[in-house]
Amino acid sequence: MKRALALLSFAVCAGPLAAAEPAAKADSAKGQSIANKVCAACHGADGNSVSPANPSLAGQHAEYISLQLVHFKDGTRSNAIMAGMAANLSPEDTKSLGVYFAQQKPKGLAAKDPSLVAAGQKLYRGGNAATGVPACSACHTPTGVGIPVRYPRLSGQYAEYTFAQLQAFKAGQRGMDKQGKDANGRVMAQIAGRMSEAEMRAVADYAAGLH
């Protein structure tokens, strides 16, 4: 249940007028080339990860992927492995990877634990008014595909990964960077802070099977 913001880079030119640098352009073919060389081992060449420890990127919003790469690179999001992977990526590279993975088809998953489906569905669709947890569907849509640019896709994501991220938000390991660059992550940290472990497991399992 993660949220994302678009980033724009500006440079001030010498002289009486300020002009913005041309925005980095996305190149899907270049993204595919980088993915095959750098990302495939953990996330799959087509973005469908084979390990629950690594998120699937296929079908994820391009802007969200690009922003997360920027956050890994500048330390807003702390992950030693991903920091190393993103270190040499240019703005064009991050956008190209985002576009490439967004174009790939997610394979889809199913909820693994039938006993969690009812609780997960209730929280995902209606939230928990007693503890101030909003409905996940409000930002990530009833089908879990998320709203482009702002809110990421959850459907088809490994329940184990989603659960781990909710734990990270609650522990302040995500979304609590000192500079406040991850504004949506900060909101998620507040939401996850009100969730019990049982709620996290239930909603993560339920979201994985959404279509």
Side-chain angles (χ1 to χ4, degrees):
M1 291 163 51
K2 301 161 277 189
R3 301 178 176 184
L5 297 175
L7 294 180
L8 294 176
S9 298
F10 293 97
V12 177
C13 298
L17 297 177
E21 288 184 346
K25 295 183 179 180
D27 182 338
S28 181
K30 183 177 183 180
Q32 182 177 20
S33 177
I34 298 172
N36 288 335
K37 296 174 183 177
V38 181
C39 314
C42 293
H43 301 285
D46 64 349
N48 284 289
S49 169
V50 297
S51 170
N54 304 315
S56 287
L57 304 178
Q60 185 58 271
H61 306 311
E63 298 86 355
Y64 180 76
I65 292 174
S66 298
L67 180 62
Q68 297 312 300
L69 288 170
V70 170
H71 281 178
F72 282 126
K73 184 174 182 176
D74 68 15
T76 297
R77 186 170 171 184
S78 180
N79 183 294
I81 294 176
M82 281 305 304
M85 295 295 181
N88 295 319
L89 296 178
S90 68
E92 181 181 343
D93 292 339
T94 62
K95 288 196 173 187
S96 296
L97 282 167
V99 168
Y100 170 69
F101 282 123
Q103 293 173 344
Q104 306 312 301
K105 184 177 181 180
K107 291 183 178 180
L109 297 171
K112 294 182 178 181
D113 190 342
S115 67
L116 297 178
V117 172
Q121 182 182 58
K122 182 178 179 181
L123 186 64
Y124 189 90
R125 294 185 177 182
N128 185 339
T131 56
V133 176
C136 309
S137 60
C139 295
H140 299 282
T141 76
T143 57
V145 298
I147 301 174
V149 181
R150 293 186 61 81
Y151 308 120
R153 178 189 188 101
L154 299 180
S155 63
Q157 190 57 267
Y158 286 110
E160 295 90 338
Y161 180 78
T162 299
F163 173 68
Q165 297 313 298
L166 287 170
Q167 285 187 307
F169 280 123
K170 184 168 185 174
Q173 297 167 351
R174 278 196 68 179
M176 298 301 290
D177 59 293
K178 294 181 180 179
Q179 295 180 324
K181 291 183 178 180
D182 190 2
N184 280 1
R186 189 169 293 270
V187 173
M188 273 306 307
Q190 294 171 354
I191 293 172
R194 304 182 188 120
M195 296 175 69
S196 67
E197 181 174 318
E199 287 178 323
M200 291 181 187
R201 290 189 182 281
V203 80
D205 199 54
Y206 175 73
L210 289 172
H211 299 285

